[in-house]
């Protein structure tokens, strides 16, 4: 009988961190900063370091098996995303991947071109495009947030899109606002206009595994250290877009699609360990749905639906528990259409004080601008250094974790 809800006890057993006293006593809500790591990933990482931490590929067995593990890591990530391995760039981070992508887009722009960025994005998906515009003479256009909701209105985008728009860089969901943005609609409008769309999925992917075959973006990036794995940036780039870009790799690596935008040669073990994400989704699928011949892509989508449904319940529990307090919740005040990533400010206390009050009860939730400085400024937050308190959930959080947050926030308001 397939499960209709996530077995959180099972999930927590898959994360060895919870067996450690520190994590066991902590209610962890810093997930948007970086998630805990699945045991399957840790096992793969340890195996690589313990058994074959060598320069991979070669004739000798120890070199060969190291290379095979890296290939498996890459392949597993591509399979989870349902895309060919050649379309996946693995870099040190999403900031680095987007910066590299922006450099590679230089030949596509001229002084007549326009690039749209949003007022809701993390700096990683604004600054790189701003610098590209400065280098090429193109114009940077900002799709602003709505003053009352902090959301991105499609009608505003439609008014900005014109025949000079070469590229749109937008977030799937902001690390502060949490609303799921109308990315499909933007891609459809952009495609009809010969405009490329680069999607930042860093804050979305930990809550809903991206469905790239359905979305069909030109490029999509997210960070695997927020999806239960090693510290890397994962970036999909579609074939026709990739073929237009200026390669950023060593000249002799041109022609190897997955190396086109590889400027770092990231940690071999960290790449190998990505196969652990596939192991984790498979293990979770087996637990919840039984034996199955589904592909890794399908398994990830099925398991992700359970994760998301669980997080939605937690998100409502939080929002229902604090809605009547003298606080400002940025973005939607109910879970529909948003991720369980809630930023708020208090009318009574600084965000630093809120974070400290939570920390005193072993609840981890940070405060600040979270590198979305421009967003905080346009949302009218004057002290951006104090910024917002962010309560960011993952599927391994429990109702008890959320109740602890609600109790502290209620007690001090
Ligand atoms: C929404 C969003 N985009 C981009 C980034 C940058 O990701 P990375 O740390 O991998 O460079 C972050 C990091 O927190 C983020 O939250």
């Amino acid at each position: 009988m397939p499960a209709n809800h996530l077995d959180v006890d099972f999930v927590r057993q898959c994360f060895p961190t919870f067996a450690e006293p520190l994590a066991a006593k902590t209610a962890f809500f810093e997930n948007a900063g970086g998630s805990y790591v699945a045991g399957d990933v840790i096992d793969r990482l340890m195996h690589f370091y313990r058994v074959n931490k060598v320069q991979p590929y070669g004739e000798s067995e120890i070199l060969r098996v190291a290379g095979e593990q890296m290939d498996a890591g890459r392949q597993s990530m591509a399979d989870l995303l349902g895309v060919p391995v050649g379309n996946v760039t693995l870099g040190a981070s999403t900031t680095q991947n987007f910066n590299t992508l922006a450099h590679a887009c230089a030949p596509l722009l001229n002084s007549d071109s326009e690039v749209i960025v949003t007022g809701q994005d993390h700096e990683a998906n604004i600054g790189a495009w701003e610098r590209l515009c400065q280098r090429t003479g193109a114009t940077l256009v900002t799709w602003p947030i709505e003053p009352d909701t902090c959301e991105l209105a499609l009608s505003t985008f439609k008014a900005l899109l014109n025949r000079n728009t070469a590229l749109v860089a937008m977030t799937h969901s902001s690390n502060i606002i949490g609303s799921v943005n109308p990315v499909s609609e933007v891609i459809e409008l952009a495609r009809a206009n010969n405009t490329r769309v680069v999607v930042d999925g860093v804050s979305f992917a930990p809550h809903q595994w991206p469905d790239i075959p359905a979305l069909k973006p030109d490029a999509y990036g997210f960070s695997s250290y927020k999806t239960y794995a090693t510290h890397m940036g994962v970036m999909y780039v579609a074939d026709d877009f990739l073929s237009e870009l200026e390669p950023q790799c060593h000249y002799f690596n041109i022609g190897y699609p997955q190396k086109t935008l590889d400027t770092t040669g990231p940690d071999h073990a960290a790449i190998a360990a990505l196969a652990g994400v596939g192991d984790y989704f498979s293990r979770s699928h087996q637990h919840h749905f039984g034996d199955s011949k589904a592909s890794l892509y399908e398994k990830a989508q099925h398991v992700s639906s359970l994760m998301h449904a669980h997080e939605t319940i937690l998100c409502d529990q939080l929002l229902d528990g604090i809605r009547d307090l003298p606080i400002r919740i940025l973005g939607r005040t109910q879970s529909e259409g948003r991720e369980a990533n809630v930023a708020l400010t208090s009318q009574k206390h600084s965000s630093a004080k809120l974070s400290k009050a939570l920390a005193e009860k072993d609840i981890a939730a940070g405060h600040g601008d979270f590198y979305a400085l421009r967003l905080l400024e346009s949302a009218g937050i004057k002290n951006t250094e104090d910024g917002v308190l962010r309560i960011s959930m993952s599927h391994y959080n429990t109702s008890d974790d959320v109740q602890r947050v609600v109790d502290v926030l209620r007690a001090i308001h």
Side-chain angles (χ1 to χ4, degrees):
M1 174 85 167
N4 55 10
H5 71 276
L6 189 74
D7 179 350
V8 183
D9 290 336
F10 163 80
V11 162
R12 287 169 79 93
Q13 282 163 18
C14 295
F15 285 80
T17 312
F18 289 116
E20 298 292 330
L22 203 51
K25 69 169 187 172
T26 303
F28 187 68
F29 290 101
E30 259 297 353
N31 292 291
S35 68
Y36 289 153
V37 179
D40 290 307
V41 174
I42 297 172
D43 289 348
R44 296 255 185 184
L45 186 74
M46 296 293 285
H47 179 87
F48 194 96
Y49 272 113
R50 198 176 55 245
V51 177
N52 48 241
K53 175 67 187 77
V54 294
Q55 179 67 18
Y57 305 105
E59 297 304 326
S60 147
E61 185 177 1
I62 196 166
L63 308 181
R64 183 173 51 74
V65 298
E68 283 168 1
Q69 285 160 44
M70 286 180 69
D71 290 347
R74 265 184 198 284
Q75 190 62 54
S76 175
M77 188 47 75
D79 291 346
L80 283 164
L81 295 171
V83 303
V85 73
N87 297 83
V88 178
T89 297
L90 299 176
S93 66
T94 296
T95 304
Q96 187 240 326
N97 280 343
F98 282 168
N99 205 47
T100 305
L101 180 63
H103 273 277
C105 285
L108 309 184
L109 301 187
N110 59 44
S111 55
D112 292 330
S113 312
E114 294 183 9
V115 173
I116 297 179
V117 295
T118 86
Q120 216 191 54
D121 269 77
H122 183 282
E123 192 59 24
N125 202 26
I126 302 177
W129 306 109
E130 185 174 50
R131 291 187 292 277
L132 174 66
C133 286
Q134 285 159 359
R135 281 196 302 276
T136 58
T139 304
L140 188 82
V141 177
T142 301
W143 173 5
I145 55 167
E146 297 300 298
D148 48 342
T149 63
C150 295
E151 293 195 326
L152 293 171
L154 199 58
S155 54
T156 310
F157 172 72
K158 285 182 186 165
L160 296 176
L161 187 70
N162 66 68
R163 64 191 173 85
N164 290 330
T165 312
L167 190 141
V168 180
M170 74 177 291
T171 185
H172 205 161
S173 72
S174 138
N175 61 340
I176 303 290
I177 305 303
S179 308
V180 179
N181 286 322
V183 173
S184 297
E185 291 86 338
V186 167
I187 290 173
E188 202 176 316
L189 290 163
R191 182 144 302 133
N193 197 56
N194 279 328
T195 300
R196 297 294 185 184
V197 182
V198 175
V199 183
D200 177 349
V202 174
S203 200
F204 180 88
H207 305 288
Q208 297 189 61
W209 190 253
D211 190 343
I212 289 176
L215 203 59
K216 298 188 178 54
D218 294 298
Y220 193 104
F222 65 97
S223 305
S224 52
Y225 70 96
K226 304 190 201 246
T227 61
Y228 343 116
T230 38
H231 199 119
M232 308 206 64
V234 179
M235 182 168 65
Y236 161 83
V237 182
D239 277 336
D240 60 336
F241 190 27
L242 197 59
S243 66
E244 286 179 357
L245 301 176
E246 181 178 73
Q248 299 297 305
C249 56
H250 301 314
Y251 71 92
F252 43 77
N253 282 333
I254 293 174
Y256 298 96
Q258 73 269 30
K259 293 188 177 173
T260 311
L261 300 172
D262 183 350
T263 51
T264 41
D267 178 26
H268 300 148
I271 293 177
L274 291 181
V277 185
D279 299 340
Y280 173 54
F281 272 114
S282 291
R283 182 189 300 282
S284 190
H285 193 276
Q286 213 285 333
H287 178 79
H288 290 97
F289 300 99
D291 291 338
S292 164
K293 290 199 166 34
S295 67
L296 214 41
Y297 158 73
E298 290 165 331
K299 287 181 179 173
Q301 292 298 323
H302 295 162
V303 170
S304 174
S305 309
L306 295 182
M307 292 170 163
H308 188 243
H310 170 69
E311 287 190 28
T312 300
I313 293 168
L314 298 187
C315 188
D316 272 327
Q317 184 188 351
L318 174 70
L319 295 170
D320 292 346
I322 61 174
R323 199 179 286 114
D324 61 325
L325 299 178
I327 57 172
R328 173 187 176 198
I329 296 168
L330 279 87
R332 298 184 179 209
T333 57
Q334 28 76 26
S335 68
E336 200 193 337
R338 67 133 63 231
E339 304 300 0
N341 187 41
V342 178
L344 59 89
T345 55
S346 162
Q347 286 157 29
K348 280 196 160 175
H349 306 293
S350 67
S351 299
K353 182 154 178 214
L354 299 181
S355 183
K356 191 160 185 294
L358 291 169
E360 279 162 8
K361 298 284 183 190
D362 290 321
I363 301 166
H367 76 96
D369 63 44
F370 300 104
Y371 281 17
L373 189 57
R374 305 189 206 217
L375 167 61
L376 261 56
E377 283 166 356
S378 31
I381 293 177
K382 298 214 164 40
N383 182 352
T384 51
E385 198 180 322
D386 186 51
V388 293
L389 174 78
R390 187 173 67 180
I391 300 153
S392 171
M393 303 184 198
S394 182
H395 64 292
Y396 44 62
N397 282 117
T398 63
S399 174
D400 179 59
D401 288 343
V402 175
Q403 198 53 48
R404 284 166 65 183
V405 176
V406 171
D407 290 347
V408 170
L409 292 180
R410 294 202 75 80
I412 61 170
H413 279 95

